[in-house]
Amino acid sequence: MEITARFDPFNFNVLDLQRSLEWYDKALGLREVRRKEASDGSFILVYLGDTEGHFLLELTWLRDRKEPYNLGECEYHLCVRVPGDYDATREYHRSMGCIAYENFDMGLYFITDPDGYWIEVLNVK
């Protein structure tokens, strides 16, 4: 038997859904594709997409969650590639105050979202 899997949404749980939606739009141009809301209001799932439709990021908001999520040592991350002027994009993220780590030798940097998730930013090559 041969199995061919495909990636489906990757999930980040967030404390403030509106703040996260605004941040992902401003920082990366990811926008809402669809959403699912529990009939009792206990959760909202929002799926963000890129302009090419290759990937969805699921933001999960839980009504009863009040404390920040424990992200451990952030040894996992999401990675995005950005087109255009990479240095200008880096400076834009620097002006937003969201750069968490830079490695000029490797040509990469990481930004953090409002909940502390790390996102690696690479140039489109």
Side-chain angles (χ1 to χ4, degrees):
M1 175 165 125
E2 182 176 325
I3 298 174
T4 304
R6 72 174 177 86
F7 282 105
D8 219 356
F10 185 80
N11 176 74
F12 285 161
N13 283 25
V14 301
L15 287 178
D16 184 330
L17 183 58
Q18 189 58 41
R19 176 182 69 173
S20 293
L21 290 172
E22 291 168 6
W23 187 89
Y24 278 96
D25 184 19
K26 180 179 178 182
L28 299 171
L30 300 179
R31 296 196 173 89
E32 183 173 336
V33 174
R34 69 178 184 273
R35 92 175 29 211
K36 178 178 181 178
E37 298 185 33
S39 59
D40 65 359
S42 61
F43 70 85
I44 301 174
L45 307 177
V46 176
Y47 300 89
L48 304 179
D50 60 23
T51 58
E52 297 181 27
H54 294 295
F55 182 81
L56 292 176
L57 176 62
E58 175 186 320
L59 300 181
T60 299
W61 173 82
L62 302 172
R63 176 187 60 206
D64 296 334
R65 182 69 182 213
K66 303 300 181 217
E67 64 279 346
Y69 289 92
N70 180 347
L71 304 182
E73 296 180 13
C74 289
E75 289 299 323
Y76 61 92
H77 64 273
L78 185 62
C79 181
V80 298
R81 290 192 179 266
V82 295
D85 187 337
Y86 186 71
D87 292 329
T89 301
R90 182 193 307 252
E91 289 310 311
Y92 176 69
H93 286 143
R94 188 180 319 287
S95 75
M96 289 180 64
C98 62
I99 293 181
Y101 175 78
E102 297 178 83
N103 187 320
F104 289 96
D105 293 335
M106 293 180 69
L108 60 86
Y109 66 97
F110 288 82
I111 58 177
T112 56
D113 84 347
D115 290 278
Y117 294 102
W118 282 46
I119 302 162
E120 181 178 6
V121 181
L122 298 173
N123 198 5
V124 172
K125 293 184 179 181

